[in-house]
Amino acid sequence: MKDVYLFSGFLGSGKTSMLTDVLRQLKEKGIKPAVIMNELGKLPFDSQAVGEDVPLKEMLEGCICCSGAEKTEAQIQTLLAGEEFDVLIIETTGAAHPVEALDAVYSPLFAEQLNIKGIVTVADSKLWLERTTLTPQVRTLFLEQIRHAHLLLANKMDLLTESEQGKVVFEMQGLNPDAFILQTTNGRVPLHLLENLQATTINKEVNQTQIGKHLHLNSRLIEFNTSFTQEAFEEWVKSLPSSVYRMKGYVPIEGVRNPFMFQYAYGLVQWLPEYIKMPAKLVMIGENIQDIHVIGEE
């Protein structure tokens, strides 16, 4: 399995500085990285931080979220099929919600090949103290990126006084008590902190997920051994708690030759017919979902 890290963070928070330094540390240890980098603009400025010897996939004018999920899946498939690497780092745009970014990585086609180590969020500490000046929508995204992190870098600490530094860490800890918070300058993070993450790993065993220390955002791979009616399946979906944010995969439907492509997001359901036989698997993403009853289980 390939270890995967999601680098999240607000625009200008220091993600690219962190990426550059992590790539250096990986290479020094003889670990071969690959990178998928998301850019909002047309020119790949950030990708200049990645060396020529690192397999790189870029998504210009894109966002690793709803509309870009299929592109991300294609990029990952291309890497898995054609490149030799040990670790995959996905740098999301500053405008990506962590849950949507995680959703884009989980394709039922290769979920068992990837070991999602966790979401590493870089937060601008100065911006945190000035967050009330942000628009409500932007502030919400900023807070969500911090709330869902498994490892949180309180960056740009050199710009703050000692009392401000303490205030930032205390308040961020209140928003996300599960994450390890590292006070940083220039996005420097020791590699061992990344390697110790074990946040959202999917096991190969049916209906099992290995949960690490962080129970607030995790994933679950479900395999179906029987088929359902669409009505029965949607009844089960309606019964799920609001802590289930995303589901996607292939659901076997009674009387239909190939499993349907199924997607669920924030209460909305989408079915799409498939013309080839896909594996009857579904990935669920949410908070504390390990004990949810799955349709078809006794």
Side-chain angles (χ1 to χ4, degrees), residues 206 223-228 252 280:
V206 177
E223 297 189 36
F224 299 114
N225 299 313
T226 185
S227 55
F228 315 95

Side-chain angles (χ1 to χ4, degrees), residues 14-290:
K15 283 199 310 296
T16 302
S17 297
M18 175 175 67
L19 174 66
T20 306
D21 191 55
V22 168
L23 290 176
R24 175 188 62 78
Q25 293 181 72
L26 288 169
K27 290 177 188 176
E28 285 177 359
K29 284 191 69 174
I31 300 170
K32 188 167 178 56
V35 175
I36 291 179
M37 187 171 278
N38 230 357
E39 309 267 358
L40 279 176
K42 289 186 178 180
L43 297 174
F45 293 114
D46 285 355
S47 64
Q48 296 165 14
V50 179
E52 291 180 6
D53 56 333
V54 176
L56 171 68
K57 297 292 179 186
E58 295 170 282
M59 294 171 58
L60 301 182
E61 290 194 290
C63 180
I64 297 188
C65 55
C66 310
S67 60
E70 291 77 14
K71 292 180 184 176
T72 310
E73 290 178 16
Q75 301 282 39
I76 293 173
Q77 277 188 296
T78 304
L79 281 173
L80 287 171
E83 300 286 355
E84 288 293 324
F85 65 96
D86 305 308
V87 172
L88 175 60
I89 297 173
I90 300 177
E91 184 190 15
T92 65
T93 69
H97 189 289
V99 175
E100 292 167 346
L102 195 61
D103 171 65
V105 181
Y106 278 130
S107 166
L109 299 178
F110 48 69
E112 292 169 333
Q113 298 178 56
L114 302 179
N115 173 24
I116 311 295
K117 296 282 282 183
I119 298 170
V120 183
T121 296
V122 189
D124 182 331
S125 300
K126 194 166 180 62
L127 184 63
W128 173 266
L129 294 175
E130 300 167 356
R131 62 190 182 280
T132 55
T133 63
L134 301 171
T135 64
Q137 186 179 8
V138 170
R139 184 166 66 246
T140 297
L141 177 61
F142 184 44
L143 295 177
E144 285 289 281
Q145 289 177 343
I146 292 169
R147 188 170 80 86
H148 286 299
H150 300 105
L151 174 63
L152 182 56
L153 273 61
N155 199 28
K156 304 187 182 181
M157 278 289 177
D158 54 318
L159 303 179
L160 306 182
T161 65
E162 201 169 305
S163 63
E164 286 175 331
Q165 290 175 1
K167 178 179 169 68
V168 166
V169 172
F170 179 77
E171 290 178 349
M172 285 185 179
Q173 198 87 66
L175 180 62
N176 185 348
D178 297 300
F180 181 88
I181 298 180
L182 179 70
Q183 298 181 52
T184 59
T185 301
N186 298 323
R188 295 291 176 90
V189 54
L191 189 60
H192 72 85
L193 286 180
L194 298 181
E195 293 175 331
N196 288 342
L197 288 174
Q198 44 177 355
T200 54
T201 307
I202 292 184
N203 263 355
K204 287 189 177 180
E205 296 173 23
V206 177
N207 297 332
Q208 294 294 314
T209 186
Q210 176 187 337
I211 304 299
K213 298 172 184 174
H214 306 284
L215 294 175
H216 55 303
L217 182 62
N218 42 62
S219 56
R220 184 172 174 181
L221 178 64
I222 299 164
E223 297 189 36
F224 299 114
N225 299 313
T226 185
S227 55
F228 315 95
T229 65
Q230 280 185 247
E231 292 76 18
F233 195 84
E234 289 193 22
E235 281 301 313
W236 171 69
V237 171
K238 287 176 186 173
S239 74
L240 295 173
S242 59
S243 59
V244 176
Y245 298 143
R246 288 275 202 273
M247 287 191 292
K248 67 176 180 180
Y250 301 95
V251 179
I253 297 299
E254 289 179 4
V256 181
R257 184 177 178 183
N258 298 322
F260 267 59
M261 174 71 180
F262 173 83
Q263 296 199 58
Y264 168 88
Y266 303 110
L268 298 176
V269 164
Q270 182 183 34
W271 295 93
L272 293 169
E274 275 292 339
Y275 300 102
I276 57 175
K277 191 170 181 63
M278 304 300 287
K281 297 178 182 178
L282 186 75
V283 174
M284 179 186 289
I285 298 170
E287 298 187 50
N288 303 315
I289 58 174
Q290 63 274 18

